[in-house]
Amino acid sequence: LSQLRVVPVPAGVAERTGRYRVEGAGASASLVPAADGGTVALSLDDLVGGAGVSLIKMDIEGGEAAALRGATSALRADRPHLAVSVYHKPWHLWTIVNWINEVVGGYRFHLRVYGHQGYDTVLYAVPT
């Protein structure tokens, strides 16, 4: 526990670092690139910048696939454990697993449902 380092960052997470506007509301909201947008979002690669990461946990209302694409370098270099919500968009159940296998490789997958009717389903990816 003494080695745990958590750094809160007042920004969103996206595939690419930039300015965004939020479209929609609640669970259907999404980030849309906009030069005049009021929301700053960072790619995880830009955020960690080679500092090393051992765990990525995300539940970002359907933005998980894009956020993982923005972490490609960190995933390849650091091989972190992953805990990724996959219930916001049904196709994430297979597209995220397929993407990790094709782009990063070397992970074992586990799926756990915590809520009723598939809500709060989390994909765990453990490096092999």
Side-chain angles (χ1 to χ4, degrees), residues 9 13 21 23 32 44 51 56 67 70 79-80 87 91 111:
V9 177
V13 178
R21 72 174 183 274
E23 284 192 353
V32 176
L44 288 174
I56 296 174
R79 316 273 313 135
Y87 65 94
W91 54 90
L111 195 62

Side-chain angles (χ1 to χ4, degrees), residues 4-5 8 12 18 21-22 29 34 46-47 49 52 56 58 75-76 78 82 84 91-93 95 106 109:
L4 182 63
R5 194 176 118 208
R21 72 174 183 274
V22 178
D46 287 345
L47 179 63
I56 296 174
M58 59 177 69
L75 292 172
R76 288 178 175 158
D78 301 329
L82 305 174
V84 180
W91 54 90
H92 280 174
L93 282 168
T95 58
F109 300 98

Side-chain angles (χ1 to χ4, degrees), residues 56-67:
I56 296 174
K57 178 188 179 295
M58 59 177 69
D59 182 353
I60 52 176
E61 305 308 312
E64 293 83 2

